[in-house]
Amino acid sequence: MAAEGWIWRWGWGRRCLGRPGLPGPGPGPTTPLFLLLLLGSVTADITDGNSEHLKREHSLIKPYQGVGSSSMPLWDFQGSTMLTSQYVRLTPDERSKEGSIWNHQPCFLKDWEMHVHFKVHGTGKKNLHGDGIALWYTRDRLVPGPVFGSKDNFHGLAIFLDTYPNDETTERVFPYISVMVNNGSLSYDHSKDGRWTELAGCTADFRNRDHDTFLAVRYSRGRLTVMTDLEDKNEWKNCIDITGVRLPTGYYFGASAGTGDLSDNHDIISMKLFQLMVEHTPDEESIDWTKIEPSVNFLKSPKDVAPPAGAAARSHHSHSFRRLGESGSRRVHEL
């Protein structure tokens, strides 16, 4: 099928209450994950954030329960993670720390949207800080590791909010947000900042901001959208929008962070999950969504040159270990 047959384009627009769901391409045949889809700018509406479809069992919202203890009713945390009355600090601004927080409940929604209120800040200047935050929707939970404080060769979806460029030859401007889908066969390449396994990404200046910073991740009918609100304008800005993504139900949401020789405070203020009300075809409804393998349809060649043999299967370490809200509604900017 021609790529244009899969691309659904909507212009920017203010979100309309009562329209949290949008159509999109359904599941299709898959190819190996190293044949990754990278699409240009495609925009989508984001739910208003005050929807009745908030799923509290998958949401982290103030006032947190369990402050001063090592557990919460709906969330587990480990490593350097510290729970306060105002934020969940995954790592302090100290070297060689790793921390994570994971939802207790597996998510069985086919169509969902996660709003994350976060803050990355510290005393380091220029490139003297690291490493960033990872947001996860994965099969396994609470497994520490070298990828933003969580395990490598994961099954599911990861969104990396990367603040340190390990690849000195990169033309990217950091901080940088990227997306990776994995069926367990791929390893995150630290030396190239995950370039070989990246589906798409964007530059995002979210570090040391003196106002609230937000990210939205939307998954519906094979379409994955990542948008940011970093300018204190109460507006979403497009970062990533790709189609042909297949994710199963029954995975877990989480967030993690890690520091090495360089460090930052990595804070999660809230994670709010919304159910999107989307109609599926009878064929789609007959699928056992828990058995779907995380994968991406191949529509066109990836932007970057293929990695050298074995590069995507190796995990490299640099000077530092690699990584990984409470808000009103955000409105989509209207052009």
Side-chain angles (χ1 to χ4, degrees):
M1 180 178 293
E4 57 269 20
W6 287 84
I7 301 175
W8 296 68
R9 295 183 180 272
W10 291 275
W12 291 92
R14 300 190 185 280
R15 281 164 302 141
C16 299
L17 297 179
R19 292 185 62 241
L22 287 173
T30 60
T31 58
L33 280 177
F34 59 84
L35 297 177
L36 298 177
L37 166 63
L38 177 63
L39 292 180
S41 176
V42 185
T43 58
D45 288 338
I46 295 294
T47 194
D48 56 80
N50 289 325
S51 169
E52 68 273 20
H53 300 298
L54 174 70
K55 308 301 287 184
R56 293 189 177 275
E57 65 271 28
H58 301 300
S59 297
L60 176 68
I61 304 173
K62 291 189 292 185
Y64 313 125
Q65 299 183 35
V67 174
S69 68
S70 60
S71 65
M72 303 172 66
L74 295 172
W75 297 79
D76 290 317
F77 54 94
Q78 65 175 9
S80 62
T81 302
M82 177 180 65
L83 180 63
T84 77
S85 62
Q86 298 301 313
Y87 52 80
V88 177
R89 178 153 292 170
L90 300 174
T91 73
D93 190 0
E94 299 174 9
R95 297 166 68 175
S96 302
K97 299 293 184 180
E98 293 181 354
S100 66
I101 185 166
W102 290 87
N103 191 209
H104 278 188
Q105 307 295 324
C107 179
F108 291 98
L109 302 178
K110 300 183 183 71
D111 306 272
W112 50 262
E113 182 173 302
M114 176 70 82
H115 291 192
V116 183
H117 182 185
F118 69 99
K119 187 175 182 64
V120 178
H121 58 108
T123 58
K125 305 299 183 182
K126 294 186 178 179
N127 285 337
L128 299 179
H129 52 263
D131 285 312
I133 293 175
L135 305 173
W136 304 94
Y137 175 69
T138 56
R139 184 189 68 185
D140 303 311
R141 59 190 291 271
L142 286 171
V143 183
V147 184
F148 293 85
S150 194
K151 77 185 298 282
D152 204 353
N153 297 98
F154 59 92
H155 290 75
L157 168 70
I159 297 95
F160 301 123
L161 286 69
D162 193 345
T163 59
Y164 184 81
N166 279 308
D167 184 2
E168 296 180 354
T169 65
T170 186
E171 296 180 356
R172 295 173 178 171
V173 177
F174 281 69
Y176 187 83
I177 298 175
S178 64
V179 165
M180 178 179 174
V181 171
N182 198 352
N183 63 2
S185 67
L186 299 178
S187 180
Y188 183 87
D189 189 340
H190 299 277
S191 67
K192 295 296 182 182
D193 301 307
R195 181 175 179 177
W196 305 135
T197 50
E198 175 192 320
L199 289 174
C202 74
T203 294
D205 186 13
F206 55 77
R207 185 179 179 271
N208 272 353
R209 305 306 291 261
D210 58 5
H211 52 259
D212 291 335
T213 49
F214 301 87
L215 179 141
V217 182
R218 179 189 185 93
Y219 178 69
S220 181
R221 300 195 67 198
R223 184 179 181 190
L224 180 68
T225 307
V226 177
M227 304 189 81
T228 61
D229 178 1
L230 309 177
E231 305 297 331
D232 200 26
K233 296 180 179 179
N234 199 35
E235 296 170 352
W236 290 116
K237 180 179 179 181
N238 190 44
C239 174
I240 295 166
D241 203 321
I242 54 180
T243 57
V245 178
R246 288 169 59 89
L247 297 174
T249 58
Y251 279 16
Y252 296 91
F253 289 104
S256 68
T259 67
D261 290 345
L262 303 177
S263 63
D264 256 337
N265 297 300
H266 298 103
D267 300 341
I268 299 292
I269 293 90
S270 69
M271 299 174 68
K272 297 180 179 180
L273 186 76
F274 299 90
Q275 180 178 8
L276 301 178
M277 307 309 292
V278 178
E279 291 187 6
H280 288 267
T281 66
D283 287 344
E284 290 171 343
E285 293 291 355
S286 68
I287 296 173
D288 184 350
W289 290 80
T290 64
K291 298 296 193 297
I292 292 175
E293 183 178 54
S295 55
V296 181
N297 294 331
F298 176 66
L299 302 188
K300 60 191 248 183
S301 298
K303 174 183 65 176
D304 295 322
V305 177
R314 296 194 303 267
S315 177
H316 298 280
H317 293 271
S318 67
H319 70 283
S320 62
F321 266 165
R322 302 306 293 175
R323 11 289 181 200
L324 76 115
E326 223 93 25
S327 68
S329 64
R330 323 230 74 71
R331 62 178 179 274
V332 177
H333 182 56
E334 184 174 52
L335 294 179

